[in-house]
Amino acid sequence: LAKHPEIKALMKPDHNLIWVVVLMVLAQLTAFYLVKDLDWKWVIFWAYVFGSCISHSMTLAIHEISHNSAFGHSKAMWNRWFGIFANLPLGLPYSISFKRYHMDHHRYLGGDGIDVDIPTNFEGWFFCTRFRKFIWIVLQPFFYAIRPLCINPKPITRLEIINLLAQLSFDVVIYYLWGVKSTFYMLAGSVLGLGLHPISGHFIAEHYMFLKGHETYSYYGPLNLLTFNVGYHNEHHDFPSIPGKSLPLVKKIAAEYYDNLPQYNSWIKVLYDFVMDDTISPYSRMKRQLKGEVKQD
């Protein structure tokens, strides 16, 4: 910032995010209606080909919203309510809890017992062969859901209860209106999209140490178009208050800080290398023993 103070001008909300999220919710509602009478094979096909992409993209929209990118920091609660709305087509309550844990990830990256992005000791010990690492990727959504309860359980908040009740009510309405196939499409799309899916390469690409000494990596490939530029991950951790839309400008302005860092051009290759490289496993993360006072959401 001392060298490039113009970056401060990028620290403002991205109001276009609001309309993108609304269109994504409408797209999924349309899909719920269209699949209700299809054969099961086509329900599963479209859940993976289309629903999974929208669902995973929506989790990254929720990531943006967790940083108050939709309405700005002055309207933090507007962002929380909007996150609950964005959560609806995922089928499972996620937004409020994600925000609480994700702020810890930024404040205490790699903090043992705090950052629930770090795999558990069991994951590192058991998922150590190629086949088991493949299964670990398939089951990633389950580990991301269970891991906070094992590593850093937090008291349930009022907003989390509201998120849960809103989600259950939405799921019941979808089932009542359009039946089990639409409900299955919704839930399957979320599970498949966060598991063995090209976009899921970002889970591993962001912080797994393929190169010793480098714990955060950026990806500059085309899937950023579907993921709100989450691939610009060094830039995001440097400036978490800058919306994803503006992170390419950060890289352009401060190119001397980013261009020479190790980077990826394919999330699919990241997944392949993770499975096939016997030196890489869920243990391949930087873990820190935190000292001093720890403040969590």
Side-chain angles (χ1 to χ4, degrees):
L1 283 175
K3 188 173 182 180
H4 299 287
E6 63 270 31
I7 287 177
K8 290 182 180 179
L10 303 176
M11 298 177 182
K12 58 185 179 182
D14 173 17
H15 295 304
N16 288 331
L17 175 64
I18 300 168
W19 305 114
V20 172
V21 167
V22 169
L23 288 174
M24 290 169 70
V25 171
L26 292 176
Q28 280 293 70
L29 285 173
T30 302
F32 296 161
Y33 173 77
L34 292 175
V35 303
K36 67 184 179 66
D37 296 319
L38 294 181
D39 289 340
W40 276 107
K41 63 181 179 182
W42 290 111
V43 175
I44 296 170
F45 173 82
W46 288 114
Y48 187 78
V49 172
F50 182 76
S52 63
C53 296
I54 297 292
S55 291
H56 200 137
S57 183
M58 189 63 88
T59 66
L60 294 168
I62 290 171
H63 167 255
E64 288 284 291
I65 296 166
S66 75
H67 287 282
N68 296 330
S69 292
F71 295 98
H73 296 294
S74 64
K75 297 179 178 178
M77 280 305 300
W78 288 37
N79 289 282
R80 302 292 79 75
W81 294 119
F82 191 57
I84 292 173
F85 168 75
N87 195 152
L88 294 177
L90 296 178
L92 300 168
Y94 165 81
S95 177
I96 299 300
S97 295
F98 172 79
K99 194 268 181 189
R100 298 179 71 198
Y101 283 103
H102 188 64
M103 294 305 102
D104 294 340
H105 171 67
H106 275 273
R107 292 191 191 108
Y108 308 109
L109 180 63
D112 189 19
I114 302 296
D115 183 0
V116 299
D117 196 54
I118 297 287
T120 62
N121 289 331
F122 169 78
E123 291 171 73
W125 168 76
F126 185 78
F127 296 99
C128 57
T129 67
R130 293 180 181 181
F131 176 73
R132 291 179 186 178
K133 286 191 289 183
F134 175 81
I135 297 301
W136 183 77
I137 291 173
V138 172
L139 298 178
Q140 271 194 105
F142 299 102
F143 287 115
Y144 270 90
I146 295 170
R147 197 182 294 148
L149 303 177
C150 300
I151 294 179
N152 186 17
K154 296 184 178 185
I156 296 175
T157 65
R158 181 178 66 91
L159 276 178
E160 284 175 305
I161 294 173
I162 294 172
N163 193 177
L164 172 64
L165 294 177
Q167 191 62 60
L168 290 176
S169 300
F170 179 82
D171 295 350
V172 168
V173 168
I174 294 300
Y175 179 79
Y176 177 78
L177 290 177
W178 297 322
V180 67
K181 290 181 180 178
S182 296
T183 306
F184 175 86
Y185 168 90
M186 173 172 59
L187 297 172
S190 296
V191 173
L192 293 171
L194 296 170
L196 187 62
H197 194 281
I199 298 177
S200 291
H202 82 85
F203 288 130
I204 295 169
E206 291 166 359
H207 297 297
Y208 284 78
M209 294 178 63
F210 282 81
L211 296 174
K212 301 302 181 186
H214 295 274
E215 80 175 283
T216 303
Y217 301 79
S218 289
Y219 156 82
Y220 300 120
L223 289 177
N224 278 304
L225 295 173
L226 297 177
T227 58
F228 301 91
N229 287 328
V230 75
Y232 288 76
H233 216 67
N234 276 298
E235 295 85 346
H236 172 60
H237 272 270
D238 285 347
F239 301 103
S241 61
I242 295 180
K245 180 188 74 172
S246 299
L247 292 177
L249 288 175
V250 173
K251 182 178 183 296
K252 183 178 180 180
I253 292 169
E256 69 273 23
Y257 290 98
Y258 299 111
D259 284 354
N260 295 322
L261 293 177
Q263 56 190 250
Y264 298 113
N265 292 306
S266 171
W267 278 336
I268 295 175
K269 188 175 187 302
V270 168
L271 292 172
Y272 176 84
D273 289 345
F274 178 80
V275 171
M276 300 305 293
D277 189 337
D278 294 333
T279 67
I280 302 295
S281 76
Y283 270 143
S284 302
R285 292 289 297 263
M286 177 70 75
K287 183 184 285 189
R288 296 179 174 84
Q289 298 298 324
L290 298 176
K291 299 179 181 179
E293 185 179 4
V294 175
K295 296 181 180 179
Q296 302 183 64
D297 279 14

